[in-house]
Amino acid sequence: MSNADLLRRSLAAVWHPCTQMKEHESLPLLPIRRAQGPWLEDFNGHRYLDGISSWWTNLFGHGHPRIVAALREQLETLDHVMLAGFTHEPVVALSERLAALAGHALGHCFYASDGAAAVEIALKMSCHYWRNSGRPRKNRFLALAGGYHGETLGALAVTDVPLFRNAYAPLLRPAAIVPSPDGRRAGPGRTARDAALDAARALESHLERHHAETAALIVEPLVQCAGGMAMHDAEYLRRARALCDRHGVHLIADEIAVGCGRSGSFFAHEQAGIAPDFLCLSKGITGGTLPLSLVMTTDAVYEAFYDDEVARGFLHSHSYTGNPLACRAALATLDIFEEEDVLAANRRLAAQISRAAAPLAADPRLADFRNTGMIWAFEAKTGDARFARRFQQEALARGVLLRPLGNTVYFMPPYVLGEEEAGLLVAATLGALDAVLA
Ligand SMILES: *Cc1c(COP(=O)(O)O)cnc(C)c1O
């Protein structure tokens, strides 16, 4: 097998995600043969540093021995059993451990496989909760400008990324959109906290008018990722929580990207000292090995469905709900967090990456260099509509996988970079910028 063989066969048989396939005439697919730690390797033995954790999923490097061993053992014990009418140890243990991590404020856990499915579940549960509570008019959702929550129809309806939405507009029942608390919107002489307060005031005036038909507000706490790594002050989340409480509206924290330590704390909402009514997790929860998503919710929500009447139950399911292998990978991921004190190690690693990235922060060709936890981002000042693709190519040529969102370049590396690898990440970025912005 060679790179060229696999590339040709892939283009003939596979429809790749999030891709205008014709672009592969000039930007070749990258066939990957194996991966180890933060490195991907192709069929010619070329290695690429995975600077975006394989779409933000891979936390501890590829092939982590602890996760591999847990999966091997689970595969030999119980591969899968349906979760309706049955239960198994990995799903019980994972639910218990997640509830403990969330301070027991979110005592029940519902499972699916992809992030978008978790968002669908949270939206349906919220709406159904209000129906069960005698408030069926509360069935509309509220989302932030520039937010991203996945691409199935319900999730897309709360996603404010026109490129992903426009073609499907006739299929969607769109959410109301309120301003983003993005710290960059503050304007000259004002702080990120001011931007958060501005956005909270806009939320307040929307809720005053529309609370009677609003089921829930959905947010990506601290960092709106796919919309361009827009970061905000935690004060927004505190205000949003208080406003939702005042107006009887659920708060859904979509931590599919920012959960699992990415924001610096295990859950991003912890940094605001609040608890959401629904918490969506996916991406990193299995350490980037298997698809798993979940929604945690409060006892109050759970109890509103607990009844003699079947139709008041939450009758949503997926065939692989709570798959034991995926749950086991998630348990191994939580073991690593606990035993290796990952959050403390990440604070040291983040300081090191920020030091290495100082030349980017000072580069006059770039704007708005910013960092939250294990996410770094900046904008390239260029009008080149092909910037993202050209930058990606130049970074790959320098041995680093980075995939800008428009003009926004970001790092979202696995939590296991060494000093040399952090240096390579920045050096390849500078080299790619020199080539593209020349
Ligand atoms: C990736 C993402 C999703 C969707 O998850 P999928 O597994 O890709 O369906 C939803 N919300 C956020 C915040 C995400 O980053």
Side-chain angles (χ1 to χ4, degrees):
M1 184 70 58
S2 71
N3 279 349
D5 277 347
L6 198 64
L7 205 150
R8 187 180 42 73
R9 285 170 55 198
S10 194
L11 289 178
V14 182
W15 198 335
H16 292 265
C18 202
T19 301
Q20 169 49 268
M21 292 300 295
K22 189 162 190 287
E23 290 187 351
H24 282 314
E25 288 178 6
S26 58
L27 178 73
L29 281 166
L30 202 59
I32 297 300
R33 189 161 88 101
R34 61 166 80 194
Q36 195 57 48
W39 293 93
L40 305 168
E41 190 182 316
D42 73 8
F43 288 78
N44 296 337
H46 284 131
R47 300 204 311 158
Y48 302 93
L49 185 67
D50 188 350
I52 57 169
S53 302
S54 290
W55 251 354
W56 322 345
T57 61
N58 186 276
L59 302 188
F60 303 118
H62 297 268
H64 191 285
R66 179 158 203 144
I67 303 178
V68 171
L71 280 174
R72 282 221 172 90
E73 197 206 26
Q74 187 61 43
L75 191 55
E76 285 170 7
T77 319
L78 174 64
D79 46 9
H80 182 64
V81 64
M82 60 193 283
L83 199 62
F86 295 83
T87 193
H88 53 81
E89 207 264 335
V91 80
V92 173
L94 180 58
S95 307
E96 289 171 350
R97 281 181 70 178
L98 288 170
L101 277 169
H104 297 284
L106 303 163
H108 278 88
C109 199
F110 196 99
Y111 290 86
S113 302
D114 289 296
V119 170
E120 302 279 336
I121 287 163
L123 298 175
K124 283 177 69 179
M125 260 186 192
S126 171
C127 171
H128 197 165
Y129 168 91
W130 293 117
R131 179 187 163 89
N132 281 354
S133 308
R135 309 277 306 276
R137 275 187 62 215
K138 287 171 82 68
N139 60 35
R140 310 223 53 126
F141 298 104
L142 189 52
L144 300 190
Y148 176 91
H149 300 287
E151 293 167 52
T152 53
L153 295 178
L156 199 54
V158 291
T159 287
D160 184 40
V161 180
L163 180 63
F164 296 151
R165 257 179 82 138
N166 290 350
Y168 313 104
L171 306 181
L172 305 177
R173 181 170 174 269
I177 301 291
V178 284
S180 165
D182 182 350
R184 292 168 297 174
R185 295 167 53 105
R190 299 176 79 241
T191 63
R193 191 167 183 281
D194 294 328
L197 297 181
D198 290 347
R201 272 190 292 274
L203 173 63
E204 180 171 22
S205 88
H206 181 94
L207 286 176
E208 277 167 3
R209 281 172 291 133
H210 297 292
H211 63 89
E213 68 262 21
T214 304
L217 165 70
I218 183 165
V219 300
E220 296 164 87
L222 300 185
V223 188
Q224 295 181 276
C225 293
M229 302 295 162
M231 301 181 181
H232 60 254
D233 192 287
E235 182 62 20
Y236 181 76
L237 301 171
R238 279 188 284 277
R239 302 267 166 147
R241 176 70 277 180
L243 290 167
C244 285
D245 285 342
R246 189 195 306 160
H247 291 289
V249 166
H250 288 138
L251 178 62
I252 302 173
D254 177 353
E255 300 214 10
I256 290 166
V258 295
C260 302
R262 186 56 73 179
S263 73
S265 44
F266 188 80
F267 297 122
H269 68 264
E270 289 170 40
Q271 294 185 41
I274 59 146
D277 300 289
F278 299 92
L279 173 64
C280 302
L281 286 183
S282 187
K283 292 209 165 105
I285 187 65
T286 61
T289 54
L290 285 169
L292 180 72
S293 67
L294 57 97
V295 178
M296 301 173 70
T297 191
T298 60
D299 292 343
V301 168
Y302 179 76
E303 277 153 22
F305 291 78
Y306 199 86
D307 199 88
D308 291 325
E309 196 186 321
V310 173
R312 286 174 63 94
F314 190 60
L315 305 184
H316 182 105
S317 65
H318 297 284
S319 310
Y320 282 96
T321 292
N323 172 257
L325 286 163
C327 290
R328 200 51 201 280
L331 284 165
T333 298
L334 296 185
D335 287 342
I336 297 170
F337 267 100
E338 224 170 84
E339 286 164 27
E340 299 180 11
D341 199 357
V342 168
L343 296 176
N346 277 0
R347 280 192 286 277
R348 294 187 290 275
L349 176 56
Q352 187 188 319
I353 293 176
S354 291
R355 274 196 301 278
L360 295 169
D363 194 314
R365 298 169 300 175
L366 313 176
D368 293 322
F369 184 90
R370 53 200 183 276
N371 163 235
T372 296
M374 291 293 287
I375 307 174
W376 291 259
F378 59 83
E379 264 68 48
K381 295 185 200 160
T382 168
D384 180 359
R386 298 166 66 80
F387 170 79
R389 296 180 55 204
R390 294 180 59 209
F391 179 92
Q392 181 178 348
Q393 276 300 86
E394 294 291 344
L396 280 174
R398 289 163 177 80
V400 173
L401 166 60
L402 290 170
R403 209 169 180 275
L405 300 156
N407 284 5
T408 307
V409 179
Y410 70 90
F411 305 151
M412 218 144 146
Y415 306 162
V416 294
L417 289 197
E419 191 154 356
E420 231 171 89
E421 291 157 339
L424 172 64
L425 189 64
V426 174
T429 300
L430 281 166
L433 289 170
D434 289 342
V436 175
L437 300 178

